[in-house]
Amino acid sequence: MKTLHKILATLLLGAACSGCDLTLIPEDTVTPQTYFQSEVDLRLWTNQFYTLLDSPDSASGLNADDMVDKSMGDVISGTRMASDESGWTWTSLRKINYYLQNSHNCTDEAARTKYDGVAYFFRAYFYYVKVRRYGDVPWYDTVIGSEEEDLLKKPREDRGVIMDHVMSDLDNAIEMLPRDKDVARVTRWAALAFKSRAALYEGTWRKYRNLPDADKYLQQAADAAATFIAESGYSLYKEGAEPYRDLFCSDNAKPGEVILARLYNFEGLNLAHSVQFNIRNAAAGFTRRFMNHYLMADGSRFTGKTGHETMFYTEETAGRDPRMAQTVLCPGYIAKGESTATPNDMTSMTGYEPIKFVSTAAHSGASKGTADWPLLRAAEVYLNYAEAKAELGTLTQDDLTVSVDKIRERAGMGSLDMAAANADPDPFLMACYPNVTKSDNTGVILEIRRERTVELPCEGLRQWDMLRWKEGAQLVPSSNGLDGFLGCYFPSLGEYDMNGDGKMDLCLWSGTKPATTCDAMLEIGEGKDAQLTEGTSGYIVCFRGRTYKWEEGRDYLWPIPTDQRVATGGALSQNPGYEDGLSF
């Protein structure tokens, strides 16, 4: 069935998109009045909207404070410029609006309702992404003609106006879309899940900047998630010994938990991604800050243990939340399709190598990944619900029972005690999120953020979470007193047993290369393969010496492209803090 879905999706998308601009239909062959006549026509046109969805190669490698790789990324490197900003594209919106202006030609009301719902979903998705990136943007719900100069030079509207349109479009989608479970198509459940994400983003963005209407959006997020939880029938995947790990390296998206996914099939259709390849090729690595978020398996805080700061890799990874060993290469890790453990060879920049989304060796090459990519899943909706309620101040222990506790249960962890969390907020988490709401719910809000951090890594959400929480400075080491991103701790140079099996696997050295039986060697020193914070001891440190500091008044949004400002004669205003050389 999955292969059939993929074949149909590929053929239909190819038929719809091949070699033409779909907003310009030759009048001697087909017109809007003659084309939008049947369900097939509507499906062919709306198939192209799915290309708007996040790609795994970009989303999985979106660096933040939790993970870095060789590329670093423009947000944490401070290199965003108006002259080369490329995200200001509107072609997809034109195609969506074009559809909505012409779908009434189809007399099949049921088909028109369903595919109108698809269009409303994707218009909401399109605008959510634009607001998330730029803040205020122009609103268009009609197709602009080449001579409509007033619309072509339309100024930006307040983000609240745009997000109200997003919520309205999502409400339309929720009513119009089918109630089926279909990981390859948007459904009512996908619209509810996405509404909980978009409304939570806007609500927390506003709350942490003292802007009006924060509670309005937080309530919409909570309501959408509550409806999803009560009516959808989705649950968390729990099969096998490592359900969390298996969820992300499955060739077939788990339909019980995954609401919407990108589907891949290499052998039959040459549809593949490079997530697994990129992890190794880009030397992706989790940070120690991220690793410290994991609790001990008994629910106690790792960062409350005496000497945790200088614990070696084999000790710090022992007895932790089971999700750690299903996300990070820990001692005893056995790769899919293998029978023996793979020691940590410190290929990762930090020493904490991701194994989430990693399947068998056959998928390790460029464009060889075939695991379906989850875009929306039930666990995120549970977290959205709990966070929205906590930020509203209406969270109860029963709310946690139907949300966060389900996630912890799947992981093999105990439930979250709201009263205990609020009575004793975690100092480590307070340091990670210094701008968190100071209220009676501070402790539980921090614990929900912990759950988001360890449940959703590599899914393209962490950077956006930090931005909406107004914690951008925590993305940049120099802004929070650190000289680089920290990884594993090593007390000295020498040989190390990275697998805990009594065999030395790794040799750290500097100066003269030593004779060793270790399979992996890592040269330490300035300009070498790796550096330690104290020279010959300390934490592995990445991107040392970067002086860029987060600019609070600028860096939460991207610049409006210079060429677009010129084309509109300044009707498009620039975001604060960005210099583009223009006088308007």
Side-chain angles (χ1 to χ4, degrees):
M1 180 61 70
K2 172 182 175 179
T3 301
L4 178 59
H5 263 131
K6 292 180 175 178
I7 292 172
L8 288 173
T10 303
L11 291 177
L12 292 172
L13 187 58
C17 300
S18 178
C20 64
D21 179 351
L22 294 179
T23 66
L24 302 173
I25 302 176
E27 293 185 0
D28 60 345
T29 57
V30 66
T31 67
Q33 291 72 32
T34 60
Y35 178 72
F36 294 97
Q37 295 290 319
S38 67
E39 180 172 2
V40 172
D41 291 345
L42 304 188
R43 184 173 68 247
L44 283 170
W45 190 276
T46 57
N47 275 343
Q48 65 189 304
F49 302 162
Y50 286 84
T51 60
L52 282 169
L53 298 171
D54 289 340
S55 71
D57 291 337
S58 59
S60 63
L62 194 61
N63 291 342
D65 63 320
D66 62 334
M67 187 181 74
V68 293
D69 60 27
K70 292 177 181 177
S71 66
M72 195 175 192
D74 60 357
V75 172
I76 59 178
S77 63
T79 56
R80 287 174 286 177
M81 296 186 297
S83 59
D84 59 7
E85 169 57 26
S86 60
W88 192 269
T89 55
W90 298 81
T91 303
S92 296
L93 177 63
R94 179 181 173 86
K95 294 174 181 177
I96 294 168
N97 285 336
Y98 193 82
Y99 166 86
L100 287 171
Q101 284 185 200
N102 292 287
S103 66
H104 66 272
N105 292 322
C106 179
T107 58
D108 184 338
E109 185 175 349
R112 189 173 71 251
T113 297
K114 179 169 75 170
Y115 289 105
D116 282 3
V118 173
Y120 282 121
F121 175 92
F122 279 107
R123 188 165 69 183
Y125 186 96
F126 174 91
Y127 264 110
Y128 163 73
V129 170
K130 284 289 185 287
V131 169
R132 191 177 64 175
R133 190 175 182 94
Y134 301 109
D136 301 346
V137 292
W139 169 258
Y140 295 106
D141 58 4
T142 60
V143 176
I144 305 172
S146 59
E147 296 181 358
E148 296 181 273
E149 189 169 339
D150 56 331
L151 292 178
L152 289 169
K153 296 183 177 181
K154 190 175 183 180
R156 302 160 70 190
E157 293 196 53
D158 181 84
R159 64 182 293 148
V161 173
I162 305 301
M163 288 305 295
D164 284 345
H165 283 304
V166 168
M167 295 299 113
S168 177
D169 277 355
L170 285 171
D171 287 341
N172 286 335
I174 289 165
E175 291 302 313
M176 295 177 169
L177 287 167
R179 296 172 178 246
D180 306 332
K181 289 183 179 179
D182 187 344
V183 296
R185 297 279 181 179
V186 294
T187 63
R188 168 181 167 85
W189 315 120
L192 281 166
F194 187 70
K195 184 177 181 182
S196 76
R197 178 190 293 182
L200 179 64
Y201 192 97
E202 188 64 14
T204 48
W205 177 278
R206 289 174 174 274
K207 179 170 184 177
Y208 284 99
R209 290 158 179 83
N210 297 313
L211 298 174
D213 293 330
D215 284 0
K216 178 182 78 172
Y217 293 105
L218 289 171
Q219 190 62 58
Q220 290 181 358
D223 290 346
T227 301
F228 177 92
I229 292 169
E231 298 180 7
S232 72
Y234 282 85
S235 60
L236 301 188
Y237 178 74
K238 297 180 181 178
E239 296 180 19
E242 296 182 312
Y244 181 83
R245 180 183 177 190
D246 293 342
L247 177 66
F248 300 105
C249 59
S250 173
D251 270 3
N252 296 284
K254 306 299 184 183
E257 175 170 353
V258 177
I259 308 159
L260 182 65
R262 275 184 175 270
L263 308 187
Y264 291 88
N265 180 301
F266 180 75
E267 290 79 7
L269 297 172
N270 199 29
L271 296 175
H273 56 74
S274 297
V275 172
Q276 185 166 327
F277 171 79
N278 291 339
I279 288 172
R280 274 259 155 171
N281 192 56
F286 292 118
T287 61
R288 194 166 184 107
R289 174 192 177 103
F290 166 76
M291 296 289 284
N292 286 344
H293 275 73
Y294 285 99
L295 295 168
M296 302 301 295
D298 64 5
S300 62
R301 299 165 182 168
F302 171 74
T303 51
K305 295 175 69 70
T306 301
H308 75 273
E309 298 92 343
T310 57
M311 281 186 183
F312 179 60
Y313 166 75
T314 51
E315 184 179 6
E316 69 165 316
T317 55
R320 303 290 288 276
D321 178 334
R323 280 173 292 187
M324 175 184 278
Q326 298 177 56
T327 305
V328 189
L329 196 161
C330 293
Y333 165 69
I334 299 177
K336 293 291 183 180
E338 304 295 329
S339 58
T340 58
T342 302
N344 184 349
D345 61 5
M346 293 298 292
T347 299
S348 161
M349 290 187 70
T350 62
Y352 301 121
E353 183 174 333
I355 62 165
K356 188 172 178 176
F357 300 110
V358 174
S359 185
T360 63
H363 299 88
S364 61
S367 298
K368 290 294 181 67
T370 58
D372 288 346
W373 178 256
L375 293 158
L376 293 166
R377 60 186 182 96
E380 184 202 341
V381 182
Y382 297 163
L383 290 164
N384 294 346
Y385 176 71
E387 184 182 345
K389 295 277 285 186
E391 292 286 6
L392 283 165
T394 60
L395 183 74
T396 66
Q397 190 65 49
D398 288 342
D399 291 328
L400 291 173
T401 299
V402 300
S403 58
V404 172
D405 286 353
K406 289 183 177 181
I407 297 171
R408 287 194 170 197
E409 179 188 6
R410 192 254 299 276
M413 298 290 291
S415 61
L416 173 56
D417 186 323
M418 178 176 170
N422 285 331
D424 182 25
D426 186 350
F428 166 72
L429 295 180
M430 288 287 288
C432 288
Y433 311 103
N435 292 327
V436 69
T437 299
K438 307 305 188 294
S439 69
D440 291 342
N441 268 347
T442 296
V444 77
I445 290 172
L446 289 171
E447 292 302 326
I448 293 167
R449 291 187 184 187
R450 185 200 304 277
E451 287 300 315
R452 283 191 75 89
T453 303
V454 301
E455 178 68 24
L456 304 175
C458 305
E459 296 183 48
L461 297 173
R462 177 64 177 186
Q463 173 187 278
W464 302 111
D465 284 345
M466 295 298 281
L467 295 183
R468 66 186 176 88
W469 293 330
K470 208 173 186 292
E471 299 289 3
Q474 303 304 311
L475 302 175
V476 180
S478 59
S479 291
N480 54 73
L482 296 175
D483 185 14
F485 295 91
L486 303 183
C488 290
Y489 181 85
F490 290 92
S492 66
L493 302 181
E495 295 184 346
Y496 288 92
D497 173 11
M498 302 297 290
N499 207 28
D501 61 359
K503 177 182 178 297
M504 295 299 174
D505 309 297
L506 172 71
C507 178
L508 268 60
W509 64 282
S510 180
T512 303
K513 189 173 184 179
T516 179
T517 59
C518 295
D519 293 329
M521 299 187 72
L522 187 63
E523 186 176 8
I524 301 295
E526 189 74 27
K528 302 301 180 181
D529 294 341
Q531 296 182 51
L532 294 174
T533 51
E534 305 304 320
T536 58
S537 66
Y539 299 102
I540 292 287
V541 59
C542 309
F543 299 118
R544 201 171 197 174
R546 302 286 180 128
T547 59
Y548 164 66
K549 292 187 177 181
W550 186 265
E551 295 190 25
E552 282 289 311
R554 183 192 71 181
D555 287 342
Y556 285 100
L557 296 172
W558 275 249
I560 306 301
T562 304
D563 60 349
Q564 296 300 311
R565 298 235 301 129
V566 170
T568 62
L572 289 176
S573 58
Q574 184 56 273
N575 275 327
Y578 287 102
E579 297 295 333
D580 55 18
L582 301 179
S583 59
F584 44 72

